[in-house]
Amino acid sequence: MEKKYWIVTYGCQMNVHESEKIAGILRSRGYTQGESEQEADIIVFNTCCIRENAENHAYGNIGALKKLKKSRPSLLIAVGGCMTQQAGAAEKLRKKFPFVDIVFGTHNLDTLGELLDRKAGNRKVVVDIWGKEGEIREDDYSYRTSFPNAWVNIMYGCNNFCSYCIVPYVRGRERSRAPQKILEEVDALVRGGYKEITLLGQNVNSYGNDCGGEYSFPQLLRDICRRDEKFRLRFMTSNPKDFGEELVRAIAECPQVCHLVHLPVQAGSNRILKLMNRKYTAEEYLKKVELLRKYVPDCQLTTDIMVGFPTETEEDFQATLSLVREAGFATAFTFVYSRRSGTAAAAMDGQIPEEVQKERIMRLVELVNEQTREKSVAYRGKTIEILCEDYDKKKGLYLGRDEYGRMGYFRSERDCIGDFVRLKIGETSGVSLMGELAE
Ligand code: 5AD
Ligand code: SF4
């Protein structure tokens, strides 16, 4: 009988890609993907701890497996990812969920295969969480599940210590992959028919700084784009503090780089930005937006914004709203500040009551949605190019995004997944566009 796996992923694209690596490891051990957790022989939780609700979600779902494990003791349950990497988390998991078999961290995700060997025939829980980042393992064993899109890590970790953020504590210091390795991975993907590649790092602008800084991120973009095949190149995330002219020029000059930049601003009040340790002001941020639009006039921007950071006043919040209006974001990911223990902000006075946070996020979301809708309406009647990436069975429609990240839906008699197609846009709703094939 074939052994089946089921992976539950929380959090960002970095985690989604890491789940592809976990899937690759399990497949190399003879597992294939199951249809549900009910029929799985191993369930892996790839957790996130960036906000409390992601963490609560994971704890809730792990707890819910108690019954399944009791009825089927041979079922293996493994918990990995950012959450386990926090101080005391492994102990908490062991106490709360003694039925968990394997606990591993982000630094040693690659060792999951070895941990499975250690677990075999062993009744005790196997806990292996490295306190320090190890060497980058370069074997590409990812089992990719999002054709025609592919994610490529260019670096791991973060050195920035924004005061609210747990990432530097759970993912360690910045480590860049060698350019040659990245170029080889991209080469194999493009030759394998992948059409959209997203380079991943917590702060891609500081790519290479840990290797002497001789080879920079803009150089990497230029080297990746030195080829003739048609594909799209995206990257995330850029920290505004290091976003400069050299990168803007590379975006303008490399034909494959999409004219959509994700540039998290977090807040519009300089006092809050300072408390967040972001190292730029609202004016400096807007200058960078201006620079980007000077070189790449059609460039769209997306961002991350947080409300309810400690001591945030109504006036500070108003500054965020005006920055959102001024920057004209295509869309924004909005978050309520979540107190993460061990971070500098967790110890700050002036934590904001939940009702105030809720009320502010509602106003922010309303503004962002309004702007997104306006940008959607501007698409009506236009013909755009999208990369078809999926088929929605429920709606009976194919879907894909344009260069600026807008989702377009359409009907088609033939399977278009992986093709660039032209769509004439009719109706729009929120962020979505309805179109007809214009071939
Ligand atoms: N609370 C709320 N949002 C957070 N983010 C990071 N840490 C926190 C936190 N403690 C958000 C930031 C970041 C995005 C990935 O998650 O906006 O850009
Ligand atoms: Fe967190 Fe700041 Fe690093 Fe982003 S740059 S991962 S927000 S510490």
Side-chain angles (χ1 to χ4, degrees):
M1 260 263 290
E2 259 187 348
K3 294 182 292 177
K4 303 276 186 192
Y5 68 82
W6 184 252
I7 303 174
V8 188
T9 309
Y10 304 87
C12 59
Q13 293 199 352
M14 189 81 76
N15 268 25
V16 174
H17 182 41
E18 279 167 357
S19 287
E20 294 183 334
K21 295 185 184 185
I22 292 173
I25 295 174
L26 295 173
R27 295 180 87 86
S28 74
R29 306 253 152 184
Y31 286 90
T32 54
Q33 188 172 345
E35 293 287 313
S36 72
E37 58 183 28
Q38 296 301 321
E39 65 157 276
D41 298 284
I42 182 167
I43 301 174
V44 183
F45 289 92
N46 187 13
T47 62
C48 168
C49 62
I50 202 153
R51 282 170 291 275
E52 196 181 0
N53 50 9
E55 210 173 10
N56 289 343
H57 229 114
Y59 277 119
N61 290 349
I62 299 166
L65 285 185
K66 191 175 173 180
K67 251 174 123 179
L68 192 62
K69 175 81 179 177
K70 208 165 176 191
S71 67
R72 205 147 50 81
S74 65
L75 166 70
L76 286 177
I77 300 174
V79 182
C82 301
M83 195 176 92
T84 63
Q85 200 72 50
Q86 294 172 93
E91 206 36 47
K92 181 170 167 191
L93 271 166
R94 208 157 38 175
K95 281 214 179 102
K96 256 182 114 147
F97 309 116
F99 54 87
V100 167
D101 299 284
I102 299 174
V103 183
F104 62 104
T106 49
H107 295 332
N108 64 322
L109 174 148
D110 310 282
T111 64
L112 179 60
E114 290 135 55
L115 301 183
L116 281 169
D117 293 339
R118 267 172 57 192
K119 178 65 201 174
N122 178 353
R123 290 195 55 223
K124 273 202 185 146
V125 52
V126 172
V127 179
D128 195 4
I129 295 168
W130 294 0
K132 256 199 98 48
E133 14 344 2
E135 289 275 298
I136 296 175
R137 281 208 193 174
E138 278 298 352
D139 9 312
D140 184 19
Y141 40 71
S142 297
Y143 176 69
R144 298 186 183 272
T145 49
S146 22
F147 179 85
N149 301 333
W151 291 290
V152 173
N153 286 114
I154 63 164
M155 59 195 298
Y156 304 91
C158 180
N159 288 356
N160 288 314
F161 290 94
C162 300
S163 64
Y164 49 81
C165 187
I166 193 96
V167 169
Y169 302 91
V170 292
R171 288 195 173 265
R173 297 294 72 72
E174 286 173 2
R175 286 100 65 207
S176 300
R177 284 180 73 195
Q180 203 47 41
K181 294 290 175 196
I182 299 169
L183 291 169
E184 279 167 19
E185 190 173 341
V186 171
D187 182 55
L189 289 167
V190 174
R191 282 192 289 109
Y194 283 86
K195 300 285 168 47
E196 185 171 303
I197 290 169
T198 304
L199 306 177
L200 294 177
Q202 306 293 348
N203 178 16
V204 292
N205 307 103
S206 50
Y207 172 77
N209 286 356
D210 55 313
C211 308
E214 269 150 41
Y215 187 90
S216 66
F217 180 60
Q219 267 169 295
L220 179 67
L221 287 183
R222 287 180 192 276
D223 282 344
I224 291 176
C225 293
R226 241 183 272 286
R227 44 190 318 143
D228 298 325
E229 296 95 334
K230 179 165 180 169
F231 67 100
R232 288 177 180 166
L233 188 62
R234 302 186 190 274
F235 54 87
M236 69 187 312
T237 295
S238 266
N239 189 318
K241 82 179 166 60
D242 304 313
F243 188 84
E245 189 153 352
E246 211 195 322
L247 175 56
V248 169
R249 289 171 70 132
I251 298 171
E253 288 161 24
C254 295
Q256 295 93 336
V257 174
C258 293
H259 290 182
L260 173 73
V261 174
H262 184 61
L263 200 61
V265 66
Q266 312 297 357
S269 146
N270 289 339
R271 191 183 68 81
I272 295 292
L273 284 169
K274 194 156 197 306
L275 283 176
M276 286 178 165
N277 195 28
R278 289 292 288 180
K279 303 198 172 79
Y280 55 83
T281 62
E283 293 73 23
E284 282 161 352
Y285 181 90
L286 289 168
K287 274 233 163 75
K288 298 200 185 210
V289 173
E290 207 177 292
L291 180 76
L292 180 64
R293 292 203 167 126
K294 182 175 137 204
Y295 280 92
V296 195
D298 65 323
C299 201
Q300 297 282 334
L301 274 167
T302 57
T303 198
D304 292 344
I305 310 170
M306 205 184 298
V307 301
F309 185 83
T311 77
E312 184 189 69
T313 61
E314 174 61 25
E315 201 186 337
D316 293 319
F317 175 64
Q318 287 296 337
T320 295
L321 295 181
S322 33
L323 186 136
V324 169
R325 284 191 200 97
E326 202 162 336
F329 298 115
T331 191
F333 303 92
T334 53
F335 307 104
V336 169
Y337 163 74
S338 171
R339 193 175 188 176
R340 305 285 62 207
S341 108
T343 61
M348 287 179 188
D349 290 334
Q351 302 285 328
I352 304 295
E354 212 179 301
E355 319 82 77
V356 178
Q357 289 182 323
K358 276 198 181 142
E359 191 266 335
R360 285 185 191 155
I361 192 95
M362 271 161 57
R363 281 193 280 160
L364 176 64
V365 167
E366 200 173 310
L367 174 63
V368 168
N369 287 348
E370 190 185 304
Q371 288 189 186
T372 312
R373 265 196 304 273
E374 273 170 25
K375 291 210 184 248
S376 289
V377 170
Y379 271 92
R380 287 188 191 159
K382 282 197 179 151
T383 300
I384 59 166
E385 183 183 71
I386 70 153
L387 169 60
C388 179
E389 55 189 43
D390 211 350
Y391 177 69
D392 184 325
K393 272 196 208 135
K394 266 196 204 142
K395 292 194 175 105
L397 297 171
Y398 283 92
L399 56 129
R401 280 167 304 144
D402 74 349
E403 172 179 358
Y404 311 104
R406 274 310 164 110
M407 192 66 88
Y409 289 85
F410 61 102
R411 282 185 203 289
S412 168
E413 294 304 316
R414 67 174 183 91
D415 180 357
C416 306
I417 296 175
D419 295 343
F420 286 100
V421 297
R422 295 182 65 73
L423 279 194
K424 177 138 202 273
I425 303 305
E427 278 311 299
T428 59
S429 90
V431 285
S432 307
L433 317 172
M434 257 317 290
E436 271 180 27
L437 277 177
E439 279 173 317

